[in-house]
Amino acid sequence: MRVEDCSRQDEQLSLIFTIASFMNNFLTLPNGFLFDLFGTTVARLLGISVYTAGMLLIAFSSPVNSILLFPALSFITVGGILFLVTNIQVGNLFGTHRSTIITLYNGAFDSSSVVFLIIKLLYEDGVSLRGSFLFLACCSVIHLFRTFVLMPRTHIPYPLPENYTYGMKCGGTRDYTVAKVEEKNIQTSQAEEEMSFKETSPQGQNTDKMERSFRSCLLSWLFLWHLLWLSVMQLRHYLFIGTLNPMLNHLAVGDPGLVSRYTNAFAFTQLCGILCAPWNGLIMDRHKRQQREPGQSEQEADLKAAILSLSLTALQCVLFSVCAATPILPLQYLTFFLQVLNRSFLYGGNVAFISVAFPSVHFGKLFGAVMALSAVVSLLHYPCFTLIKGPLGGDPLYVNIGLTVLSLLAFINPLYVYLHCRRQAAQRANSNKSASS
């Protein structure tokens, strides 16, 4: 029986995945600036436009004009990340459960890939791909409804002002822009928080995080080590997903039925992202609710609560990488579970950490910056894929071992945050001792 060689197709699909992943992350930076400057409505309208365009491009693509897949996947990823950035702010409405809501949205974002599994199964039952993607394009009407009726025109502030409302109210449409009274409440709330922080902080350390500039945040060690934490683990995930099909072919010795079964199992596990992600937020919120030390600011409490989350995420990545590097086909079921668990913790923890470690006024820009810079690192995925397909003859073992070792660098970030919190506590203690004497 003649086995068709699909290596060229696999290489092209891997290239499409690499470009789409890069666009998804790199364009988060301008999208973050757009969100911070123009607010929710403008950002979501742009996201709806590019998402719908991507769905239509896939709907009207064919083997003859398969080049359309390159812009189509990029449009879908860019539109999706704009939805995510604007949805994350909903967590500001939930106070002590803020991190849980943020990670829940990230889990839903991760689980969205199950939509393509549904399309695959419908296609196998005779539903055309064009019909499926045209239906998804029409679903943009739902996004438009939510944008104009259920979301604010600008931003949801944090901390939340008293009596803050937006959207439809009592049968009439409320102005989506934050009212002048609410703006005054925001300024008052920030001023009170700043005064409280100055009263409890050591001398020389009384600069509230609201006063920090974007540049100082970007060049801080907190941001740089967090960037390394995200980059090495994201690269590990991208290489695993991008090489999944050739890896399964290699382990299944080219059995198409076996490869299809494992591919479906992988797709089904992606649905679990929405179930796994909130656990990361719950870990952070539970530790945050512990009684603060005397003089400890809210930001310090948030950072201390993030240490366990950052450490667990790095440990999960190492375990996932070890399983992925082990050439045993049945073990890949465990690899699929660890991959979706770790990815949920990774992206949910990334957003939650940015939101608690830095001023909310810079959230969009810093989130965009960390995603854009990590996207540059993720470009290493394609040369790794080429190395596997070429000199390594389709066997990813040595590349997987190298990436497993590289993943150990992710532990630097929680270690630095721990030492940073220790330094702040020591400065607080010295300040209190000086004041008492």
Side-chain angles (χ1 to χ4, degrees):
M1 182 180 68
R2 179 177 177 270
V3 179
E4 188 175 355
D5 183 15
C6 297
S7 59
R8 176 61 179 168
Q9 175 181 275
D10 287 341
E11 185 176 352
Q12 287 298 301
L13 291 175
S14 180
L15 180 59
I16 292 172
F17 174 77
T18 301
I19 293 174
S21 301
F22 175 79
M23 297 292 285
N24 173 60
N25 289 349
F26 190 77
L27 289 185
T28 307
L29 179 57
N31 289 342
F33 275 92
L34 177 77
F35 173 63
D36 285 344
L37 290 174
F38 298 104
T40 303
T41 301
V42 173
R44 287 183 68 86
L45 288 177
L46 177 61
I48 291 169
S49 300
V50 295
Y51 164 81
T52 306
M55 289 297 177
L56 291 174
L57 284 174
I58 294 183
F60 292 102
S61 64
S62 66
V64 177
N65 57 4
S66 58
I67 193 71
L68 292 178
L69 293 178
F70 283 87
L73 269 295
S74 297
F75 283 175
I76 291 173
T77 56
V78 172
I81 204 68
L82 274 169
F83 288 149
L84 178 63
V85 170
T86 55
N87 284 334
I88 283 170
Q89 60 181 328
V90 175
N92 295 344
L93 299 173
F94 292 86
T96 56
H97 301 289
R98 184 183 181 214
S99 296
T100 303
I101 300 301
I102 289 173
T103 52
L104 180 63
Y105 268 108
N106 275 270
F109 183 77
D110 285 341
S111 297
S112 62
S113 57
V114 79
V115 173
F116 284 88
L117 172 63
I118 295 172
I119 292 175
K120 174 181 179 287
L121 297 177
L122 290 175
Y123 177 73
E124 292 173 351
D125 285 340
V127 178
S128 70
L129 288 176
R130 176 168 297 182
S132 296
F133 283 101
L134 285 176
F135 173 77
L136 289 176
C138 292
C139 287
S140 294
V141 174
I142 300 173
H143 301 308
L144 285 171
F145 174 81
R146 184 166 183 263
T147 299
F148 287 112
V149 178
L150 300 177
M151 295 294 288
R153 182 173 295 169
T154 53
H155 303 89
I156 301 176
Y158 185 80
L160 205 64
E162 190 176 354
N163 302 322
Y164 176 77
T165 56
Y166 63 85
M168 302 297 291
K169 184 178 180 182
C170 299
T173 304
R174 175 179 169 81
D175 188 356
Y176 292 89
T177 308
V178 179
K180 290 183 179 180
V181 176
E182 291 174 343
E183 290 178 353
K184 185 176 179 180
N185 288 340
I186 297 171
Q187 294 169 0
T188 303
S189 175
Q190 291 174 352
E192 289 174 352
E193 182 180 290
E194 180 180 351
M195 182 63 69
S196 173
F197 184 54
K198 287 182 177 180
E199 289 175 353
T200 57
S201 296
Q203 187 69 26
Q205 297 295 322
N206 59 357
T207 301
D208 186 80
K209 69 173 184 173
M210 296 298 296
E211 297 177 345
R212 297 176 62 186
S213 67
F214 170 65
R215 185 174 183 273
S216 67
C217 295
L218 191 67
L219 298 179
S220 66
W221 283 111
L222 272 178
F223 181 84
L224 295 176
W225 288 126
H226 183 70
L227 173 63
L228 176 69
W229 177 86
L230 175 65
S231 297
V232 296
M233 288 191 282
Q234 181 173 260
L235 175 62
R236 185 66 193 92
H237 282 270
Y238 280 0
L239 185 71
F240 176 76
I241 296 172
T243 60
L244 178 63
N245 193 58
M247 181 195 74
L248 292 177
N249 271 297
H250 178 76
L251 295 179
V253 200
D255 184 345
L258 201 54
V259 171
S260 179
R261 182 171 48 167
Y262 275 85
T263 302
N264 288 342
F266 172 75
F268 276 116
T269 57
Q270 301 310 296
L271 183 60
C272 298
I274 194 171
L275 303 176
C276 300
W279 288 101
N280 195 11
L282 288 170
I283 290 171
M284 297 180 68
D285 286 334
R286 180 178 179 183
H287 282 262
K288 181 181 176 180
R289 285 196 294 269
Q290 294 178 356
Q291 186 175 3
R292 292 189 203 172
E293 300 172 9
Q296 187 181 50
S297 69
E298 184 177 358
Q299 186 201 13
E300 291 178 61
D302 286 334
L303 282 176
K304 191 174 181 181
I307 295 172
L308 179 59
S309 167
L310 297 172
S311 303
L312 279 176
T313 306
L315 179 61
Q316 289 168 1
C317 184
V318 172
L319 294 176
F320 147 65
S321 191
V322 169
C323 290
T326 306
I328 301 175
L329 188 58
L331 185 63
Q332 300 316 305
Y333 288 120
L334 177 60
T335 304
F336 297 160
F337 170 74
L338 289 173
Q339 187 270 335
V340 72
L341 177 67
N342 182 235
R343 193 179 70 176
S344 299
F345 269 63
L346 175 64
Y347 289 112
N350 170 48
V351 178
F353 182 82
I354 293 292
S355 68
V356 302
F358 304 102
S360 59
V361 70
H362 300 312
F363 171 77
K365 296 184 286 291
L366 288 170
F367 177 62
V370 75
M371 296 301 288
L373 293 171
S374 65
V376 177
V377 179
S378 70
L379 290 176
L380 293 173
H381 153 260
Y382 191 68
C384 289
F385 177 82
T386 305
L387 177 65
I388 293 171
K389 295 295 291 182
L392 296 180
D395 186 359
L397 177 62
Y398 295 109
V399 173
N400 284 333
I401 292 174
L403 287 177
T404 301
V405 175
L406 187 66
S407 299
L408 295 173
L409 295 176
F411 285 100
I412 297 177
N413 187 35
L415 177 61
Y416 178 80
V417 175
Y418 170 75
L419 295 176
H420 177 78
C421 293
R422 284 276 302 270
R423 284 195 299 270
Q424 288 184 321
Q427 289 170 350
R428 232 181 13 255
N430 291 335
S431 178
N432 292 337
K433 186 183 297 183
S434 301
S436 61
S437 61

